[in-house]
Amino acid sequence: MFIFDAHLDLSMNALEWNRDLTRPIRDIRQREHGQTDKPDRGRGTVCLPELRRGNIGLVVATQIGRYAKPTHPLGGWHSPEQAWAMTQGQLAWYRAMEEAGEMVQVKDRAGLEKHLEQWQAFGAPVSEPASSLVENRARSETGAPKPIGYILSLEGADSIVTLKHLERSFAQGLRAVGPAHYGPGTYAFGTDSEGSIGARGRELLREMDRLGLILDATHLCDTSFREAMDVFKGPVWASHSNARTLTPHNRQFNDDQLKELFRRGAVIGAPLDAWMMIPNWVRGQTTPEATGLKLEKMVEHIDYICQLAGNIQHSGIGTDLDGGFGREQCPADLDTIADLQRLPNMFRARGYKESDIEAILHGNFIRFLREAWRM
Ligand SMILES: [Zn+2]
């Protein structure tokens, strides 16, 4: 089944983790043998060949660069201009992948339809043996790797030095913006912080409206979420968020916020970051094996959203599987992102209809984009 992943930090991995994502996952892990600078060294789960193997043909891929004042709890670039340059470097990697035929940028309705058609996202033969299906999906007719479609998104807007920079980013293909990430930001307060979007946040949201950008509500703190919903009039999604009822933490949305998102027509991508899936996870200490965390837990989170909404229209996938963690902090029975292909059977076992499973795995986000990009 075709899968849409609404949140990956591919370029961050290429440039800050120094991963050549065109290589097989085995090679990337081997190359990191003995490195200890990041917690997930040698344990990465995402690369372009694994996306192809998992029939994950369309993703939302981020630019990410935080600006941090001296008091910022997590640190980051010391000026907005440095953050901007970081995100421009990340864009240069996506462009290089386009030139190499590894990826293709999807930024409008025509491009979306063309990509889906070329990927043969729908109507792919399901009766073939798995091995030949994998082969069909991994290679185009010419034998070249099939380009992964990506929609460019910005996680945390600190790198937008002025609104002119946002306009430039839009011209570069940027289509979604999450104003905040972790801590206090220039345009909104993010996870583990609390405060108003202020005048600059309102300006940013109005400019996003004018340009036709999607607002990514993920990471907004409660106050900034409320204000952003009031100011912003355009399409809203939450690329990688779970329910606070199941995982009590300000990073997740409470039921009122989720209902507000439903009213706005949002689709909410379910993440596979262990600490967001089960309560009381301690980074670097808790292990997937010790907690018994399995991929099935993702189905429970998605089911919760569907039950709360009373329909299946607002649920999707937003794995975040390369967001600074690897196998040490994701479900124990997941080796690579290609394991998402086990989800359809898990939903079938719960009695989900085939059309509902398709909606969750790709249909809802694609419908969302078709509506957002009507023109
Ligand atoms: Zn994130």
Side-chain angles (χ1 to χ4, degrees):
M1 188 176 289
F2 185 71
I3 295 180
F4 181 105
D5 188 343
H7 192 82
L8 288 173
D9 298 310
L10 297 174
S11 200
M12 180 187 88
N13 278 262
L15 298 191
E16 293 183 70
W17 269 245
N18 195 7
R19 288 175 170 163
D20 177 0
L21 299 179
T22 67
R23 306 292 309 161
I25 201 76
R26 178 180 1 100
D27 295 4
I28 296 173
R29 288 174 181 168
Q30 241 161 35
R31 190 88 191 250
E32 296 179 2
H33 188 76
Q35 293 183 350
T36 55
D37 59 323
K38 313 264 190 202
D40 55 327
R41 282 299 182 201
R43 301 192 188 99
T45 60
V46 180
C47 63
L48 302 181
E50 288 303 307
L51 286 169
R52 290 185 192 104
R53 198 166 70 83
N55 201 15
I56 305 152
L58 185 55
V59 305
V60 180
T62 62
Q63 294 171 293
I64 177 167
R66 179 164 52 227
Y67 158 55
K69 292 178 182 159
T71 52
H72 195 288
L74 291 176
W77 294 106
H78 290 182
S79 70
E81 289 80 4
Q82 287 167 280
W84 167 258
M86 181 78 229
T87 60
Q88 288 299 296
Q90 290 164 346
L91 177 67
W93 180 81
Y94 289 124
R95 293 286 189 240
M97 289 298 99
E98 291 178 53
E99 281 173 43
E102 295 274 352
M103 296 179 73
V104 60
Q105 191 182 54
V106 173
K107 58 180 180 176
D108 53 29
R109 179 75 189 263
L112 174 67
E113 304 303 343
K114 184 172 165 214
H115 179 67
L116 293 176
E117 197 174 299
Q118 288 186 341
W119 191 274
Q120 297 171 305
F122 307 111
V126 286
S127 54
E128 284 180 64
S131 57
S132 70
L133 257 190
V134 167
E135 196 56 32
N136 283 347
R137 283 162 177 173
R139 302 262 154 199
S140 70
E141 272 154 32
T142 59
K146 281 165 80 168
I148 305 289
Y150 79 99
I151 295 149
L152 190 63
S153 173
L154 180 64
E155 184 169 27
D158 294 352
S159 59
I160 300 299
V161 184
T162 70
L163 294 184
K164 285 280 164 223
H165 290 76
L166 186 67
E167 199 170 18
R168 272 157 72 184
S169 289
F170 181 79
Q172 292 168 344
L174 184 71
R175 289 298 176 265
V177 174
H181 191 219
Y182 279 85
T186 304
Y187 300 99
F189 282 74
T191 301
D192 289 333
S193 67
E194 186 52 45
S196 166
I197 60 172
R200 291 200 68 186
R202 282 191 290 278
E203 274 172 22
L204 180 87
L205 290 165
R206 288 196 192 106
E207 183 67 359
M208 283 169 58
D209 257 335
R210 188 183 72 81
L211 293 166
L213 284 155
I214 294 158
L215 169 63
D216 188 348
T218 289
H219 282 295
L220 288 171
C221 78
D222 291 354
T223 301
S224 290
F225 175 86
R226 173 74 269 136
E227 294 174 348
M229 288 299 145
D230 289 343
V231 173
F232 189 75
K233 305 297 174 213
V236 182
W237 70 28
S239 61
H240 57 307
S241 292
N242 272 337
R244 203 175 289 182
T245 302
L246 299 185
T247 316
H249 190 280
N250 69 69
R251 170 70 180 77
Q252 322 307 336
F253 288 121
N254 65 38
D255 287 359
D256 287 341
Q257 292 171 321
L258 288 170
K259 285 174 188 167
E260 172 73 19
L261 288 167
F262 302 155
R263 275 194 292 278
R264 295 290 291 256
V267 181
I268 297 147
L272 281 169
D273 190 342
W275 84 269
M276 295 176 55
M277 301 179 76
I278 51 175
N280 306 318
W281 184 277
V282 183
R283 281 196 184 89
Q285 288 182 29
T286 315
T287 64
E289 291 74 21
T291 57
L293 175 63
K294 299 270 178 65
L295 188 58
E296 181 77 31
K297 184 58 91 176
M298 183 190 226
V299 178
E300 283 173 38
H301 279 281
I302 291 171
D303 191 61
Y304 181 84
I305 301 281
C306 294
Q307 301 296 341
L308 188 70
N311 61 61
I312 50 87
Q313 294 178 23
H314 302 284
S315 265
I317 308 288
T319 64
D320 198 19
L321 269 173
D322 57 0
F325 64 95
R327 292 180 68 196
E328 80 290 353
Q329 197 175 300
C330 70
D333 57 345
L334 185 140
D335 182 38
T336 78
I337 195 164
D339 284 314
L340 293 180
Q341 276 304 334
R342 290 177 20 233
L343 287 169
N345 272 338
M346 293 181 183
F347 281 107
R348 284 178 197 124
R350 282 183 182 246
Y352 276 63
K353 285 190 301 186
E354 210 58 23
S355 58
D356 289 352
I357 302 170
E358 285 171 5
I360 292 164
L361 267 65
H362 60 255
N364 288 334
F365 270 117
I366 289 170
R367 180 200 67 234
F368 179 101
L369 287 170
R370 282 178 172 145
E371 283 167 13
W373 295 345
R374 271 190 305 273
M375 314 303 276

